[in-house]
Amino acid sequence: MPSEEPKPRRRQARGERRIASLLQAAANVFCTSGYTAASTNAIAREASVSPGTLYQYFPNKEAIAVELSERLLHQMRETHGQAFTPANLALPLDRMLDAVLDPFIAFNVENPAFLALMHGSEPIPGQIAEEHDALHASLLTRVESLLGHYLPDTPAAERHQVAEMTFALFKAGLDLVMTHEGAERDAYVTELKRALFRYLDPLIGDAAHPAESGIHTP
Amino acid sequence: MPSEEPKPRRRQARGERRIASLLQAAANVFCTSGYTAASTNAIAREASVSPGTLYQYFPNKEAIAVELSERLLHQMRETHGQAFTPANLALPLDRMLDAVLDPFIAFNVENPAFLALMHGSEPIPGQIAEEHDALHASLLTRVESLLGHYLPDTPAAERHQVAEMTFALFKAGLDLVMTHEGAERDAYVTELKRALFRYLDPLIGDAAHPAESGIHTP
DNA sequence: GACAAACGCGAGTGGTCGCTCGCATTCTTG
DNA sequence: CAAGAATGCGAGCGACCACTCGCGTTTGTC
């Protein structure tokens, strides 16, 4: 039987440049219109290229989004590894939040297409949704094990719940950060960290000093 | 000049029932597919009606969404008034969160189409977006004045920022609540209230006891 | 320079969607 | 009951979109 790739299509340097240009154009269009509303003709126009040229490099619209997603997910995984460093996890909570959140915030600010493709409520192609779910699960596991480090005696179900809530709160703040610029954006970054700190700190405090628990929680 | 409604179209009881049925069908379809992906033919099919019948009661697809939005917004305003009662605002923070958040959560759980139309990241018709923005601004003002009651000396800009963050955190938790059911849902409701309580309580505590401020905030 | 392969084009094709139109049926009104 | 209005239908129209095809241009190889 033939190899997995029966199309070892020879690409010229020009072609690679076109692909990069098309993906950049697609990122812009997806970002402003969302996946479904983005038309392939609009992507081609954004890249100053004819529709036919676009379809020389991508078999269909979905393949454009998939390729773009894979490149973004790859960068995201690098950010992921760079954020959850053992050194970072040993920091006190406020410093740890700085160290972990800043790379993720920076990534999303520099690649707004990522959220447009992953966080969109519209019907996204199945393959991208799967990859997004895998990333989500991976991040959740990280946060859970991080919580487990502080709270070894908390049942797994509760840890999972706290991790989901933490992640959801982060995404909410991230949206707020990304819809502002300059000084306002910075202010929302610190406000987001403050919110997460206040949410998580009592957990740790309670674990360290169980006698104080239950003051604020009915 | 004629009245604002030059079409005082006489409706029969059957017609009113059809309109209600069509709006219910539209709510279902918008809820599962989003506004843009929802086809008018699908809405008509969901209501067991022909496309022509649908267009006897609505001039176009946008009008369906607008009418549905207006009905939902009306119910939302009732919820709004019922949540921000003077009696509720005088409660201690934890009780106030119960009293204010529960009606909003209940409304969204019972009318998932509301979030589908308002919170969708897809291009929504301008009129709905305007109404949503008005509601958002109205809710924000409420939260700001509520914060102002606790923190009369905080500058307005900072209050605004805290109000935006509070609202964003609530929406994040609400999404989490609505994607779960039964006991899990209840657990996320209390977890959301816990997060908001912990975010807001230190503000009030700091204002009441300024000497304690700065412990957790750099 | 000659040949082939990759590149580039844009009018055209099939399909879907929002919406219309002519006509049949049911209700209200006198 | 008769007339007119409201209701109901579904094939069909125009617009738009994802995608194709035939042909001309550029690039790499010998």
Side-chain angles (χ1 to χ4, degrees):
Chain A
M1 68 178 152
S3 71
E4 280 191 1
E5 288 292 337
K7 287 208 171 190
R9 177 97 165 209
R10 253 181 69 225
R11 291 253 181 257
Q12 300 180 354
R14 202 179 7 155
E16 298 290 349
R17 261 180 278 128
R18 275 277 184 250
I19 290 181
S21 153
L22 282 166
L23 288 176
Q24 181 57 52
N28 294 342
V29 178
F30 287 153
C31 216
T32 61
S33 315
Y35 172 74
T36 31
S39 85
T40 55
N41 291 14
I43 295 174
R45 202 179 318 119
E46 173 87 11
S48 308
V49 146
S50 88
T53 298
L54 185 155
Y55 280 92
Q56 186 170 26
Y57 298 103
F58 299 99
N60 49 48
K61 180 179 169 180
E62 176 172 346
I64 305 172
V66 167
E67 178 64 28
L68 181 59
S69 295
E70 274 176 7
R71 298 198 179 192
L72 288 170
L73 278 167
H74 183 256
Q75 289 183 248
M76 180 47 128
R77 275 184 224 106
E78 289 182 357
T79 303
H80 185 276
Q82 152 188 4
F84 291 105
T85 299
N88 287 347
L89 304 188
L91 261 37
L93 183 58
D94 55 346
R95 299 294 172 193
M96 188 207 66
L97 284 174
D98 282 337
V100 171
L101 299 187
D102 281 340
F104 283 107
I105 294 173
F107 171 80
N108 280 285
V109 165
E110 283 161 26
N111 303 84
F114 182 77
L115 271 187
L117 278 176
M118 300 292 172
H119 186 44
S121 56
E122 32 178 354
I124 293 274
Q127 187 175 345
I128 295 180
E130 285 173 26
E131 287 170 354
H132 169 263
D133 288 351
L135 174 66
H136 180 92
S138 161
L139 284 170
L140 258 192
T141 304
R142 284 281 195 176
V143 176
E144 280 181 53
S145 77
L146 195 157
L147 289 171
H149 180 256
Y150 288 117
L151 312 169
D153 298 334
T154 306
E158 192 179 328
R159 264 203 315 238
H160 176 78
Q161 188 178 296
V162 173
E164 288 261 32
M165 180 62 67
T166 305
F167 193 61
L169 297 179
F170 171 69
K171 274 200 293 189
L174 184 59
D175 277 350
L176 217 44
V177 166
M178 295 191 61
T179 54
H180 294 78
E181 289 184 354
E184 280 190 334
R185 171 174 291 176
D186 297 343
Y188 279 120
V189 169
T190 64
E191 197 66 22
L192 167 58
K193 289 176 185 170
R194 184 150 36 217
L196 287 177
F197 178 86
R198 287 178 183 163
Y199 175 55
L200 294 176
D201 192 44
L203 285 180
I204 298 167
D206 284 2
H209 317 288
E212 297 176 10
S213 71
I215 297 178
H216 292 158
T217 57
Chain B
M1 64 180 155
S3 71
E4 280 190 359
E5 288 291 338
K7 286 209 173 191
R9 177 97 166 214
R10 250 181 75 227
R11 290 251 182 257
Q12 300 179 354
R14 205 181 3 157
E16 296 292 348
R17 261 181 277 129
R18 275 278 184 249
I19 291 181
S21 154
L22 283 166
L23 286 177
Q24 182 56 52
N28 293 342
V29 178
F30 286 153
C31 216
T32 60
S33 315
Y35 173 74
T36 32
S39 85
T40 56
N41 291 13
I43 295 173
R45 203 179 317 118
E46 173 87 12
S48 306
V49 146
S50 87
T53 297
L54 186 155
Y55 279 94
Q56 185 171 21
Y57 298 104
F58 299 99
N60 50 48
K61 180 179 171 180
E62 175 173 347
I64 306 172
V66 167
E67 177 64 27
L68 180 59
S69 295
E70 275 176 7
R71 299 197 178 191
L72 289 171
L73 278 167
H74 183 255
Q75 289 183 246
M76 179 49 128
R77 273 183 225 108
E78 288 181 0
T79 304
H80 185 277
Q82 151 187 7
F84 290 106
T85 299
N88 285 348
L89 304 188
L91 260 37
L93 183 58
D94 54 348
R95 299 295 171 190
M96 189 208 65
L97 284 174
D98 283 338
V100 171
L101 299 188
D102 282 339
F104 283 107
I105 293 173
F107 172 80
N108 279 285
V109 165
E110 284 161 26
N111 304 86
F114 182 77
L115 271 187
L117 277 177
M118 301 291 172
H119 186 44
S121 56
E122 32 179 353
I124 292 276
Q127 188 174 342
I128 296 181
E130 285 173 26
E131 288 168 356
H132 170 264
D133 289 352
L135 174 67
H136 180 91
S138 161
L139 285 170
L140 258 192
T141 304
R142 285 281 195 175
V143 177
E144 281 181 53
S145 77
L146 195 157
L147 289 173
H149 180 256
Y150 288 117
L151 312 168
D153 299 334
T154 307
E158 192 179 329
R159 262 200 318 231
H160 176 79
Q161 188 176 297
V162 172
E164 287 261 31
M165 181 60 69
T166 305
F167 193 62
L169 296 179
F170 170 69
K171 274 200 294 189
L174 184 60
D175 277 351
L176 218 44
V177 166
M178 296 191 60
T179 52
H180 294 77
E181 289 184 354
E184 280 191 333
R185 171 174 293 176
D186 297 342
Y188 279 121
V189 168
T190 65
E191 196 66 22
L192 167 58
K193 289 176 186 171
R194 184 150 37 220
L196 287 178
F197 178 86
R198 286 177 182 162
Y199 175 54
L200 294 176
D201 191 44
L203 286 179
I204 298 166
D206 285 4
H209 316 285
E212 298 176 8
S213 72
I215 298 177
H216 293 157
T217 57

